[in-house]
Structures are given as structure tokens and as C-alpha cells.
Amino acid sequence: MADKSFLSVTRRGFLKTIAAGGIGAGFIGFHGTLIDAALFRNRGKGALHPIYGVSDTPEWLHDAKTGAMGPNPDWMLRHTVDQQCHSECGLRVKINRKTGRVQRIMGNPYHPNTLLDYTRLQTPLLDTAKRPGTVCARGNAGIQTAYDPYRITVPLKRSGPRGSGQWQPISWKQLIDEVVEGGKIFADTGDPASKDMDVLGFRGLYGKRKELMDAQAPELGNRTNGLLFQGGRVVGSRLGFARRFGKAFGTVNVYEHVNVCEVSHHVATAMVYPGKHMTKPDVMHAEFIIFWGTQPGDANFPMQTLGKYTAQARAEAGGLKYVVIDPLLGRGGVSGDAAAWIPIKPGTDGAMAMAMIRWILEQKRYNAAYLSHPSQSAAEAAGELSCTDASHLVIVDPHHPRTGAFLRSEDAGLGRFGGEEEGDRVVIAAGASRPAQAAAVKTAQLEYSGSVNGVRVQSAFTLLRESAQRHTIAEYGAICGVPEAQIVALAREFTSHGRKACSEMYRGVVKHPNGYYNGVAVLLLNLLVGNLNWTGGLTVGGGSYGYKKGRYDVTAVPGAEARAFGVKLSREEAYYEESSEFKAKKAAGKNPYPAKRPWFPLSFEVYTELLPSAVQRYPYGVDILMWHMATPFYSVPSQGNQAFVDAAKDPKNIPLIIASDIVVGDTSMYADYIIPDGSFLERWCHIGTLPTTLTKGTGVRWPVIELTEKTEDGRHMCMEEFFIDVAKRVGMPGYGDNAIPDADGKLWPLHRKEDWYLKATANVALAAGGNGDEVPDISKTELEIGDLKAFHAQFRGALKDAEWSKVLSAMSRGGRFEPHDRAREGDRLTHRFSKTLHFYQEETALTRDSMSGRPFLGATGWVEPATALGKPLDKLDDPNSWPLTIITKKGALQSHSRLASNYVLREIMPDNGIQIAAADAERDGIRDGDEVWVVTPEGRRKGRARVMQGLRPGVIAFRVGYGHWGYGATNYQIGGKRVEGDQVRRTGIHLNPVMRRDPDVWQMSLMDLVGGSVVFFNTRARLEKETHRA
Amino acid sequence: MPEPRLTERLAAAAALTLCSPTAETVKILGAAAGRKLNAEEAQQNFYDVFCIPQSGRYVPPYAHVLRQAQQQGEYWHFPPPRHDGGDEMASWYRIVGFDPRDLDVNPLFQGPLRPLDHIGFILAYLARLAAARETDPAAQEVAAGFVAKMLGPWADLYVTLLGQAQSDYAPLVAHALADALADVRAAFAPLRGDHQGHTTGVPIHVDTGTP
């Protein structure tokens, strides 16, 4: 019972006394009338400075007499690269010299992402004082990622069962001891599932480096493939560092996250533009762009730059016009004279693109002259900048042993050809109607269907036309929900700008079971107008300065004895038909299809298949799992379901799980150990600029601050130091005293991460250059501004003396970047791609679906989305019962799982909500702000309705990054002390855990079996209104 | 020394709940209470009792939390505060252009994600109305409606719990708050026929300058 005695002594004189004493004086501000009060002015304490208010002093000092700018000695400025998203923008970080604390983040004016006409590398740092670059809200907010109060700075070990939320801080030495030596390392946890387990540590597994995983299936490689590194956003040289560890250890299973992002985009691009994973428009000079499944200002490569270019280009008189094809209207899809929005049904972009292709072919609106050149030399002779295989003949005789392949000279009776493989293909020479080697003629027929030397063939062009003509434009329109007239109008507009029209795509097109085919169709529109390499056309980007070789070979592992080889756990880049499993089934007279789980011979980084494959031990099991910036339970569609989490965290399935993370994350909370990692401001990485940038460039991310605790010998704890110490302890080659070869063969030591990353920086900074891209020597002032003298002193021995000046200069500028005026040479782009572009995807055609045994399509077309065994999704979940389709949104404020700590962003948008089309909401009686349940065949989640007009009816959307259960969202204990979760991080709805699983494969998300993307946009749902408040 | 007006008294009470005590604050409080207070301890008390939910001594100062508080045995149970839990205050605040973000308070209470129904914000709002009524009689009407509708038993519960806090400082703040509540109820008694209070659309024709 509460003691009420306190109230009895209340006397109103008390408040009068203290108010008279001055407490609260001026507290509420201006005591005026209501009208005056409405002026909303802060009447608090006076500003500290008449201009800067209560803000910090500026980083530069201005001499009013001379006009000169000088550095403010209170601050140091360091230039690095952002990782709040994957735009990889250059940052200028303002750091308090006394406290070492980051005070502000701005844009690095040397970096192409931050300014249209970014600063030349030779410009002294001091001269950039008046013109910093820009970064977006996420970039500015990065301080809160680094200084997140939930950061972990020492190693943690679970002190209860996995996922119990009970942690114990441990020393770095204990961490290394236990994970290397293994044994009964969980005896102290009291966990019945693991306390008596004898765990194989790194030493034990490395000791099996010469043993086969399975003697009956030698293609699976050695036992060391039982080490799995599942990385999330680990890119550039940081991925290189991890891969090098994998190479030295002897595992092929070092992954980044790509298929949870949009690998089918990259695979489709590589199949059309060989070896390239992305193309982008020359936005500033294009006349017309179609943005498929994305829009300027939303996540892209890179978001800020593409948005900025588009805004600038459309503002020019007679400038850029564009169309956004996406179910959701974002801020970049603004309607008006310059932009239009076509709300397409999710997953049907391929149908719309094929309809446009059909119209363009039938109306002969394609660039026939360009397409008729069968080789690069013929194209160049005609003044073209690229060539295609549109005229090349493909074997279509189903009984021919090479059906689906291009016809070779020898097949055609033309003899053997000694030149390049693509020149050996056969075409029908224009005008002569006779077969010829592609390399031997200047022009060839586009249309051909007939026999050559008794072999039935068709040209790639004809195959595409026939594929396009499988449906009428009206039928395509019905599939994609876009009126025929609108499709035709768009096709007409697209073919009305010569080579200055581009078809550009991102996630929305490809994250479907038919994503690869959609992607290829969208890309082929570009080939029809011949826009590659032209100003205002399409580009593969300016490229980058490589970090791997040059002054040092940082990828080499001298003395490596354990060869990393074999089929990867995800069964990517490998053919099921070549496996022992397949051969054994065939030998036993069994139908080898379907495989237990799909194989992905055309794809890479199939991250989403790692955990279920490990649990099912298909094709083999995992002894040690490392997560780095990886959160599959949160980010992979359907993998957050409880049954799967329970299976994955069962120590019997994966005996040792080590995470490196900056917090106890949504997935790392299930690890055995957490290595404290540095935030992006504390890391190294060398990362090339993205293809929207037409010039060459490599950003250098380096630790501008370091916040984790130090090891006994003074190194800040992080993923790299963990690898180094494990490798040295185990005795792996490539670490320790003789680790990194230079160009002269001398071996340099690797005892700390800088020993490796500084050499990678030297490779970038000192690579051959010209045309104004040479890195200048660093000046005394620049050393001072970045406080780099101390850095140099600390790591002096990591490089040759002569290399330091340019290395420090590249660090002081955040990388190396070619001048912006090198982007174009008149009507053509400076950096051009010269391989033959593929109208027809031969490699795809020659690959079989490991589930059905049928070959994939070489000529792309409209393919209905289906499960792994081919059941159409509309038959899986009846649209009458499940009338809505879920899509995700990666907006400008919250595009990833990892920004939950950025409260300045959450203040702008505290809750994501369920975006519902106004028509759907009206039909279901849902008002904006209502609480609604999103019900899917896999479960349900509650959120707040956000009713909006800019969304196609039948579609609901949610922004990713909300609704956390880890990352500081819920309570846990460290050393017996409770850490309280923060409601802000829990707020919002996250639907990934209730997304559709493929019913044909255990715990597999719906997948694109060709391109390898996981499916985010094909889960059916319905809404149920909440009838009471919790 | 002239007796402080209502607006000043309410501002003082509000400030005690929203601002870390300075040495001067502690001195004044101590003098009023007739005892000597330690400034450092008072500051620690302030953080423990008013700011930090994990402290073990925290008493949530938010109306929407206190309305749902439940006593079981000798323990009180509070639901977690919601960032939007006090949004019902927004329409009232908007009438006079009152925005808690304009107040010079401890940063822990600032930012759009902080609930609007902190008792200190409410007292500051009423202080603003008390000042406004000196020149605009409509303010009296607004305040009366607000008190009738929004200032329920939760406020008294808060004062009671604060008075029991294991702290030298917090009970003195509770004294001040109890006085303030009594002042408010006396000054802004509901008008006849106005006991339902106002929600939005209060008939005051001012341009608030806010959307």
C-alpha cells in the first residue's frame, strides 16, 4: 500500500517560495498573448555566438583581411568513405582534437558522389574549405552508428543457451584460446544442449585440411570447407581480407550478401554485358530514361548521385524526361512535364518489356544498322561503339548435341577458325544469303530461320522476336496491368531519342522467381537502340584503381598448402549434373531431378541458402560459422520464422557460431561469441565508385576514429585482428613475419590490419595514371589537418619510405579519383566497354534447372513466377483469398537493417507502417493510422496503416529497417547486468519473417533459380483490422 | 519581494521535472524546505528518478504511462512509454503554438520521439496559458477545458509516487508539484457546461503558424 503521508504535509507556500527564488524563471519563454506565443520562437538562453549560435566553431578560419582560409586547430578533418548504405559516398569527418570525438560528418569534395563537378585531386585540401561536398541524411547520421550506446567494445561469450540474451564479457585472449583450441568450451554456459559438446575449433578443423569432405564426392572439396563466413555488407578490400583468410585456411565458403539484395540483376547484366554486373545511364546527357523497379532518390548505385544527377538533368531546359515503372510512387517518381509514373503489377516487368520489344521489332523502330554488325571490328569500322550477337545463328534443332548453342564455323562447314570464340560463330552475310564467319563480314542479316549445313538454326534476333510474339501486346498489358496504349506510347517515346534513351533497373524488376528473365528483357531494350558507350546513353562506369596488385600482392598467400576448392555450400557456380550425387542417381536408374535443394550454376553469393543448407547438410555440414554484418534472420525473407531459428541455433546443427558485429544484433544474438567490430568510421576498405560515375575512382575508407577496446599489444579489436590472431595461433601461412610479397618478391609481415590495408592503399595511390589523376604528394598543412603525422609514426614500417607521401595523400583525400572532365570525349564516353553484347544468352540456354531438369531460356521472354517445382504462385496462394502482394521499399532515410540507432532519422520517420493504396483501404474500411494485421500464408504481423494514393491497388508496401528484436531493441544481460531495450528500435513493422517460403524445398525462401535472387515481392497477403488496442 | 504569479509558479514546477538541478536550484529548494541538500546527490537523484528508466528508482513522468499503471502488492507496474503516447496533447499545444522542443530542458526529454505528455511539458503549457489569460480571456477557457479533460488522477498518482522516492531531492519536487496541481485546479476550474472539456477546434481565432 502506498504511503500517502507525503500529501498531508503539502503546503502551497512551498511552490511560491521556490518560484520567488527564481526556479523556472524564463523557463517557458515569452509570456505574451496567444498570438505572440504562436510565433514559435525559442526564447531560451542566449546564443553563444551571433552567427554560429550554439553550434561548434567552424572547421576553417577565415582571415577577413586577406580572405584566406586556414585550418581551425581545434578540429581535425579526415576523409573516408560512408557505409550507411552501399552508395559508398566520400565523407569529411570533423573530429575534436582534444576529445577525439566526431562532431560532424559532411561530404568529401574530392569524391564524385558528393558534387557534380567534384574537386580535382591536385587541389590542396585547404582550397576546399569553401566548397565541401554533400551527403544525404543517412550520411550525416552516421555519428549515431559509431556512438550507439548499445555498441559492444569487448568480446562477448554467451553465458546461457544460444539466444538466451545472457552474455559474459571475456578477454581477447580467452576468445582466441577457445575458438582456436575448441573442446568443451561451453561447459561454463550451463546450456544443456552444448555444455558437454566437444567443439572443433579452428585448429582442429585446419588440421583436416588434407581430408576430403566426402570420399564418395571429391568435388565437394576438403573438410576445411566446413568453415563458413557469412558476410553481410562486406565489400571491396574488406571482403578481400576475409577471402584471403578463407584461401589460407582452405575454405571456399566466404560469402557476402548479394543474393539477398538483387543478384539476379547482376547475373542478367553479366549475361547481356559479359562480365559486367551493372550498367547505368549517362543521366546528365540522356534525353529519356525508363527507371524500372526503382526511382531517382531511392536506393540505387548510388542513391544520392543518381538522384542528384536526375534532378539536375530534368531541371535543364529541354532536359531529361523519364518514366518510373514501379508499383509504388516514390519521391523520385514525381509526375509532371518531365516525369511520369506507371504503376505496374509486381513481378511483371518482363511482360511489359517484352511487349515493348514486340512493338519495337514489329514497327522496325530498332537501330537495324547497329545490330547488323556481327563483330566489334565491323562495328568500329562503321563508327559504332559496340556490337551485338543479334545476327549470330543459334542451333535450334532439339536433337542436335549442341542445341541451344551458337553455330560454329565447323558446324556450318566453313572450316576451323583461329580467332576469338565469338568470331567463330556463324551469320548470314547481308545481301548474299550465305553463311559466313561472324568475323569475316561487315554486316549480317538480322532475321534468319532455316538450315545451315543441315543444321536447323535461327538468328538470335529471330529468337527474341518469336519469344516476344508469344503474347499479343494486349495480353502482355493484361499481365502487367498496364493499358496497351500506354505500353505502345512508352515504346514509341523510348525509340524517339536515338541513342540518348536508356532502360535502367534495380531491385523491383528482379526479386521475383522470374527476376532474371525480367532483367534481361529490360536490358535488351538498350541493345535495340544501340546506346552503349555514347554520351547520353548507357555506361558500365568509369572503373576503379585496383587494390589487389601493383606494389604488393595483397591477395597472395605465400606458402599456402591447403587448397581451397570444391562445390560451395550454396551450390553456386557449380552444375548439379557434374556432381557425384547426380551421377549416382543416374547410375542407379533413378530420375536425378529434382535435387534436394536447387543448384545455382549461373549465380554467385547465394547468401540466403547458406543456413538452411548447413542445417540440412546439403551438400555438407558446417563446423564453424562466422557472421559478419550478417543478419539473415532479419533480412532474409522467411528466415526469421521460429522453426528455422530454432533449427539454425541448435548446436547439433552448427557447433560453433562466431559473430563480428558492432551491437548484439537481430541475428548475432544467437551466436556463441561476438567479436566487437569497428563501425564504418573505424574500418578500412578500398571500394570502387559505382557505374553512375563515368570516371575512374576508388574510395579509401580508413579508421578515422577507433572505439573498440585494445588487445594486449595495443590493436583495436575487430574482425581483421581476429583473423590475424587466429591464423597466427593456428600457424596458417600468409600471416606473421613472412606474409605479403611485394613486387620484388620480398615478403612483408602481417601482424596488424594496417600491415595489409596500407599496402592495398599503396597499390591504389601509386597505380599508373595520367590525365590528371595522379595522387599528389601530401603537404605539411594536409598532414596537420588530418593529424596524419602520428598515424605515419605508428605505422611507418608497413610501407617503403618512398610510398608514404602519396599513400597519406590518398588517405587525406579519401581515395583516388579521375577528374570529372574526363567523363566524356565529345559524343562518346571516355571509358567504354568493348565485348560483344548478348542478344541471346547461350550460357543460360546450356544450363539446366536442377529441379526440373529442363534447360533455361536462352532467348528471354515472359515467364510466370512459380515455385521451385514450377507451381505458378497464383495457384499456390489463391488471389481471392490473398488479394494483396507485399513489396518492400528502400527509401532515402532507412534502407537497411543497420540504421536503427540513428535517432535523427527515426525522428523524421519514427514508424514505417503498412502502406496501403487508398482504394484498398476504402474497400476494407481502413483509415490512415488504424492498426492492422498483415496476414500471409506464413504468419501475421501488426502495423499502423499508412493510406496513400501513390501505390497500385492490390499492393502493400513496408520500408525495411524497422521492427527490430535485436540491435538494442530488446533486453539482454551482460555480466548479469540488464541492458534495457529501446522502444524506438522496436517500433514499426517488419514482414520479412512472414514472407512466403517455397513449399517444395525445406526452409527455402521463394527463389529465382536462374539468377539466384531471393524473392521479396511475391508474398500474398490480406489485411485484418485490429479491433482493440493492446 | 512580490509574490510570484501563477505562470511563474507553474514554470518553476515544470522546470523542476525537466531540468537537471543546478547548485542554485538546490540552494533555493533547500532553503524552502529548511534543510541542507547536497547538489551532486540532487543531480544524481534527478537522473535516477526523472530520466533513466534503468536506474531502478525511475518514476515515469508521462500521463499515458501513469494512466495504465497497476499496483500489485507493494510493486507498481508501468507499461513502457511510447513515443506517440502523448500525441493527444498536440492539438492542445498547437492552440497557443506551444512546442516542447522550444523549452530549454535536459536533452533526454527533447526530440520529436519524446512523448508530449510529460508532466513538465503540461505544466509549462499551463504556465503559458496562465500568462496568456492576462491579455486574452480565451486562454482561461482553453486552460479550463484542458484541465477538465487531460489533468486526471494520473497526475496525483505521480506526485504520490514521487513523494515516496528514495531520494532527498524528488520528494521536494513532489511538494512543488502538489502545490502546482492545486493551483491549477483552483485557477482553471471547469466553466459551467464545460465539464466535457475541449479536444480540438477550440473557438479561438488565431493563426498558430503551424500546419
Side-chain angles (χ1 to χ4, degrees):
Chain A
M1 189 67 186
D3 176 7
K4 299 237 172 116
S5 60
F6 155 74
L7 286 178
S8 65
V9 297
T10 298
R11 51 189 170 83
R12 292 167 75 173
F14 183 74
L15 179 59
K16 285 179 185 170
T17 307
I18 63 170
I23 290 178
F27 174 69
I28 63 162
F30 185 60
H31 300 175
T33 64
L34 297 186
I35 292 171
D36 285 329
L39 290 178
F40 218 72
R41 286 179 294 197
N42 186 351
R43 302 277 176 170
K45 63 183 178 185
L48 297 175
H49 189 279
I51 296 174
Y52 308 121
V54 294
S55 69
D56 295 306
T57 56
E59 57 272 22
W60 305 103
L61 296 177
H62 180 246
D63 186 326
K65 288 181 185 167
T66 65
M69 304 292 282
N72 182 338
D74 291 345
W75 305 101
M76 70 173 104
L77 297 179
R78 291 181 159 181
H79 294 88
T80 185
V81 178
D82 201 0
Q83 205 181 16
Q84 292 275 89
C85 75
H86 188 38
S87 289
E88 315 288 347
C89 298
L91 300 180
R92 167 172 288 176
V93 183
K94 178 179 175 181
I95 303 167
N96 186 315
R97 280 187 198 269
K98 284 183 188 160
T99 64
R101 189 178 171 88
V102 175
Q103 196 65 30
R104 189 181 168 204
I105 294 177
M106 298 159 267
N108 171 8
Y110 293 105
H111 195 287
N113 286 19
T114 74
L115 288 170
L116 288 172
D117 51 347
Y118 55 91
T119 306
R120 295 177 78 89
L121 213 56
Q122 285 75 25
T123 305
L125 193 47
L126 202 56
D127 292 354
T128 68
K130 294 179 180 176
R131 199 164 174 266
T134 57
V135 286
C136 72
R138 284 177 301 200
N140 290 133
I143 297 174
Q144 294 186 325
T145 298
Y147 295 110
D148 184 352
Y150 291 90
R151 280 285 302 272
I152 50 175
T153 57
V154 298
L156 298 180
K157 179 184 181 185
R158 67 177 166 94
S159 52
R162 279 184 185 161
S164 64
Q166 299 171 65
W167 299 96
Q168 193 66 34
I170 60 170
S171 68
W172 184 258
K173 181 177 180 306
Q174 183 183 345
L175 169 73
I176 301 296
D177 282 349
E178 292 188 1
V179 301
V180 168
E181 306 304 338
K184 290 188 169 46
I185 53 179
F186 301 124
D188 58 350
T189 64
D191 170 27
S194 62
K195 64 184 174 61
D196 298 322
M197 259 177 52
D198 211 350
V199 177
L200 194 62
F202 282 92
R203 186 187 300 284
L205 188 55
Y206 185 67
K208 297 175 184 291
R209 61 191 178 279
K210 293 178 182 170
E211 295 176 20
L212 284 174
M213 184 67 78
D214 180 348
Q216 305 304 312
E219 74 277 8
L220 300 182
N222 287 336
R223 278 284 284 110
T224 38
N225 282 340
L227 170 63
L228 167 63
F229 176 87
Q230 185 174 24
R233 176 61 72 191
V234 54
V235 294
S237 59
R238 201 162 202 235
L239 179 61
F241 196 99
R243 286 207 195 288
R244 185 178 182 276
F245 180 86
K247 186 174 170 183
F249 191 85
T251 179
V252 293
N253 289 310
V254 177
Y255 289 85
E256 59 165 323
H257 74 290
V258 184
N259 96 309
V260 78
C261 195
E262 47 140 19
V263 73
S264 294
H265 167 192
H266 302 314
V267 173
T269 304
M271 290 297 177
V272 178
Y273 302 85
K276 289 293 171 184
H277 290 165
M278 253 188 281
T279 59
K280 289 290 160 195
D282 173 11
V283 179
M284 292 297 292
H285 288 259
E287 293 179 2
F288 186 70
I289 300 175
I290 305 175
F291 290 98
W292 300 78
T294 183
Q295 40 211 301
D298 281 355
N300 207 322
F301 295 110
M303 179 278 281
Q304 184 196 203
T305 313
L306 221 154
K308 181 162 44 193
Y309 284 6
T310 305
Q312 182 69 29
R314 77 181 178 206
E316 304 284 343
L320 173 68
K321 291 201 294 185
Y322 63 93
V323 170
V324 166
I325 300 177
D326 196 297
L328 179 64
L329 175 65
R331 60 185 185 144
V334 289
S335 296
D337 291 344
W341 172 50
I342 297 177
I344 193 170
K345 281 185 192 169
T348 63
D349 308 74
M352 182 153 170
M354 292 308 292
M356 290 175 66
I357 288 171
R358 174 172 181 152
W359 187 87
I360 291 167
L361 295 182
E362 290 178 344
Q363 301 300 315
K364 300 197 182 305
R365 300 270 295 186
Y366 52 90
N367 189 335
Y370 161 71
L371 295 174
S372 70
H373 302 298
S375 68
Q376 186 68 17
S377 58
E380 285 175 5
E384 291 289 350
L385 301 182
S386 66
C387 78
T388 76
D389 61 14
S391 60
H392 297 192
L393 300 179
V394 178
I395 300 169
V396 295
D397 182 344
H399 304 297
H400 192 283
R402 291 183 52 247
T403 187
F406 280 107
L407 190 72
R408 310 287 177 202
S409 299
E410 199 168 6
D411 300 322
L414 297 173
R416 300 192 69 157
F417 180 75
E420 290 181 3
E421 183 269 334
E422 285 174 345
D424 187 35
R425 295 177 186 169
V426 179
V427 298
I428 303 297
S433 295
R434 58 174 175 74
Q437 286 173 334
V441 297
K442 289 193 164 31
T443 56
Q445 271 181 227
L446 290 178
E447 286 277 12
Y448 188 76
S449 188
S451 293
V452 171
N453 200 27
V455 179
R456 199 146 64 81
V457 295
Q458 289 185 305
S459 70
F461 185 91
T462 300
L463 283 168
L464 181 67
R465 178 181 54 71
E466 289 189 352
S467 178
Q469 289 176 331
R470 288 198 187 103
H471 298 279
T472 66
I473 294 175
E475 288 169 348
Y476 281 126
I479 292 168
C480 65
V482 179
E484 180 178 0
Q486 198 168 13
I487 295 173
V488 169
L490 184 61
R492 187 188 306 279
E493 178 78 33
F494 183 73
T495 52
S496 299
H497 297 272
R499 301 175 195 270
K500 294 196 171 188
C502 298
S503 176
E504 137 76 359
M505 67 165 167
Y506 189 52
R507 303 168 65 239
V509 174
V510 297
K511 296 174 79 70
H512 308 276
N514 55 358
Y516 164 84
Y517 294 119
N518 291 344
V520 172
V522 164
L523 290 170
L524 287 181
L525 288 165
N526 293 303
L527 271 59
L528 293 175
V529 297
N531 58 10
L532 186 69
N533 297 330
W534 293 95
T535 292
L538 207 71
T539 177
V540 296
S544 60
Y545 302 96
Y547 75 86
K548 294 179 180 174
K549 295 182 194 300
R551 313 287 297 197
Y552 304 89
D553 184 349
V554 297
T555 61
V557 182
E561 52 178 320
R563 191 166 67 92
F565 78 101
V567 173
K568 298 180 82 171
L569 181 63
S570 57
R571 306 161 309 282
E572 66 192 46
E573 299 171 325
Y575 290 88
Y576 174 53
E577 291 75 11
E578 294 174 1
S579 70
S580 300
E581 174 193 355
F582 179 91
K583 291 170 186 167
K585 284 179 180 173
K586 285 280 278 186
K590 296 177 185 169
N591 178 1
Y593 299 104
K596 187 173 181 178
R597 303 186 74 86
W599 292 54
F600 300 92
L602 301 179
S603 191
F604 57 95
E605 308 296 352
V606 186
Y607 168 101
T608 64
E609 269 294 276
L610 299 176
L611 290 183
S613 301
V615 172
Q616 276 204 314
R617 307 183 73 80
Y618 182 74
Y620 46 78
V622 165
D623 299 281
I624 303 174
L625 164 63
M626 281 195 69
W627 281 320
H628 167 69
M629 275 186 87
T631 182
F633 297 151
Y634 182 91
S635 61
V636 176
S638 81
Q639 276 188 9
N641 76 81
Q642 195 58 50
F644 182 67
V645 172
D646 287 345
K649 75 183 174 81
D650 185 336
K652 290 197 298 292
N653 291 329
I654 305 174
L656 178 58
I657 303 179
I658 304 160
S660 82
D661 208 336
I662 64 170
V663 294
V664 179
D666 301 276
T667 296
S668 57
M669 65 196 290
Y670 295 101
D672 300 314
Y673 298 88
I674 304 183
I675 306 161
D677 203 23
S679 72
F680 71 97
L681 291 176
E682 301 152 68
R683 292 179 187 151
W684 283 93
C685 185
H686 303 78
I687 179 86
T689 48
L690 294 159
T692 301
T693 301
L694 302 173
T695 48
K696 194 173 176 180
T698 295
V700 176
R701 178 183 299 132
W702 61 285
V704 297
I705 54 171
E706 294 202 85
L707 300 176
T708 59
E709 294 296 317
K710 291 180 181 176
T711 60
E712 284 180 7
D713 57 354
R715 295 166 293 140
H716 285 277
M717 299 173 185
C718 62
M719 178 191 81
E720 287 90 340
E721 302 298 358
F722 176 82
F723 279 144
I724 291 169
D725 284 7
V726 167
K728 286 168 65 177
R729 176 74 173 264
V730 170
M732 287 162 52
Y735 296 83
D737 289 334
N738 298 302
I740 305 170
D742 66 15
D744 301 324
K746 179 189 168 189
L747 293 177
W748 291 65
L750 174 48
H751 293 292
R752 54 191 174 174
K753 60 184 182 299
E754 282 75 13
D755 288 337
W756 193 85
Y757 284 114
L758 279 167
K759 292 176 178 62
T761 310
N763 287 342
V764 170
L766 294 153
N771 300 306
D773 71 343
E774 300 88 351
V775 177
D777 287 315
I778 194 162
S779 70
K780 192 177 169 191
T781 307
E782 288 164 348
L783 274 175
E784 186 60 28
I785 291 172
D787 195 24
L788 289 167
K789 272 187 185 170
F791 180 90
H792 176 230
Q794 187 178 0
F795 299 110
R796 181 189 295 269
L799 293 174
K800 297 167 189 167
D801 286 344
E803 294 165 342
W804 268 108
S805 180
K806 292 198 187 301
V807 165
L808 289 172
S809 181
M811 289 169 62
S812 76
R813 285 156 170 76
R816 181 177 181 184
F817 311 102
E818 191 179 29
H820 64 83
D821 55 13
R822 286 278 298 144
R824 303 174 189 84
E825 295 170 342
D827 63 355
R828 54 197 64 192
L829 302 177
T830 303
H831 296 281
R832 299 192 284 272
F833 182 71
S834 59
K835 290 185 179 170
T836 302
L837 312 186
H838 293 167
F839 234 71
Y840 176 81
Q841 289 70 52
E842 182 188 46
E843 188 179 356
T844 312
L846 298 179
T847 301
R848 288 181 183 276
D849 177 348
S850 62
M851 303 303 280
S852 69
R854 288 191 290 273
F856 294 132
L857 301 180
T860 197
W862 165 244
V863 175
E864 190 175 2
T867 67
L869 290 180
K871 186 171 190 176
L873 297 188
D874 276 353
K875 290 189 170 59
L876 179 66
D877 299 315
D878 182 354
N880 293 316
S881 302
W882 307 97
L884 302 169
T885 301
I886 299 172
I887 64 170
T888 67
K889 162 86 174 167
K890 292 175 90 171
L893 292 176
Q894 178 69 61
S895 56
H896 296 79
S897 68
R898 63 182 180 273
L899 302 185
S901 58
N902 292 190
Y903 292 144
V904 291
L905 301 180
R906 288 298 167 101
E907 286 174 351
I908 299 169
M909 186 175 288
D911 188 350
N912 55 352
I914 297 295
Q915 294 173 294
I916 304 169
D920 290 334
E922 187 175 352
R923 183 194 61 220
D924 294 343
I926 295 169
R927 293 172 305 169
D928 190 65
D930 282 352
E931 286 197 320
V932 292
W933 288 96
V934 179
V935 186
T936 75
E938 304 286 359
R940 60 189 220 153
R941 290 288 186 277
K942 189 166 71 173
R944 199 170 288 279
R946 298 276 179 255
V947 178
M948 58 186 291
Q949 291 289 347
L951 181 62
R952 183 185 175 88
V955 176
I956 55 175
F958 74 102
R959 289 170 187 267
V960 295
Y962 288 81
H964 284 272
W965 53 83
Y967 215 104
T970 51
N971 301 344
Y972 54 94
Q973 289 187 354
I974 296 182
K977 291 184 180 170
R978 186 177 182 189
V979 179
E980 195 85 14
D982 186 346
Q983 168 71 25
V984 170
R985 304 174 190 222
R986 291 195 292 276
T987 298
I989 187 166
H990 186 56
L991 293 175
N992 283 2
V994 294
M995 282 194 174
R996 196 67 169 95
R997 280 175 289 185
D998 193 308
D1000 302 328
V1001 182
W1002 181 78
Q1003 290 288 357
M1004 186 177 84
S1005 319
L1006 290 172
M1007 296 278 291
D1008 171 5
L1009 299 192
V1010 191
S1013 264
V1014 76
V1015 171
F1016 272 92
F1017 301 142
N1018 288 87
T1019 295
R1020 293 280 191 179
R1022 62 171 176 260
L1023 297 177
E1024 292 177 3
K1025 197 171 165 185
E1026 175 63 297
T1027 53
H1028 65 279
R1029 287 288 294 268
Chain B
M1 183 184 293
E3 184 170 285
R5 298 178 302 160
L6 175 62
T7 186
E8 290 155 354
R9 298 199 299 275
L10 299 185
L16 287 172
T17 66
L18 291 165
C19 304
S20 175
T22 63
E24 184 65 14
T25 306
V26 172
K27 189 174 160 191
I28 294 167
L29 269 180
R35 70 176 86 147
K36 192 172 169 67
L37 294 176
N38 179 294
E40 279 187 21
E41 282 180 15
Q43 284 172 358
Q44 187 62 49
N45 286 169
F46 176 78
Y47 285 109
D48 289 349
V49 178
F50 294 87
C51 303
I52 308 296
Q54 298 93 328
S55 69
R57 303 166 73 185
Y58 179 68
V59 183
Y62 299 108
H64 73 281
V65 175
L66 290 158
R67 280 197 205 104
Q68 300 174 67
Q70 290 185 342
Q71 189 178 25
Q72 292 175 4
E74 58 184 318
Y75 294 103
W76 282 90
H77 295 273
F78 303 99
R82 292 177 56 89
H83 68 90
D84 56 355
D87 283 0
E88 61 186 338
M89 299 291 171
S91 59
W92 290 94
Y93 292 171
R94 205 176 293 132
I95 295 168
V96 291
F98 173 76
D99 186 335
R101 285 175 296 184
D102 287 345
L103 299 175
D104 184 15
V105 303
N106 189 290
L108 288 165
F109 301 122
Q110 279 297 21
L113 281 175
R114 300 306 171 200
L116 295 176
D117 57 350
H118 189 292
I119 193 168
F121 294 157
I122 288 171
L123 289 171
Y125 166 68
L126 288 167
R128 184 75 63 87
L129 285 172
R133 71 175 180 166
E134 293 171 10
T135 53
D136 189 337
Q140 176 75 21
E141 191 184 345
V142 175
F146 179 83
V147 170
K149 180 81 176 171
M150 311 304 292
L151 204 65
W154 64 266
D156 303 303
L157 172 64
Y158 181 66
V159 171
T160 302
L161 295 175
L162 206 56
Q164 297 167 3
Q166 293 176 352
S167 153
D168 285 343
Y169 174 75
L172 294 181
V173 177
H175 274 246
L177 291 181
D179 285 1
L181 293 177
D183 278 350
V184 163
R185 286 175 175 134
F188 302 127
L191 303 177
R192 182 180 299 176
D194 193 34
H195 57 278
Q196 294 302 316
H198 290 283
T199 52
T200 56
V202 176
I204 297 175
H205 302 291
V206 292
D207 178 7
T208 64
T210 54

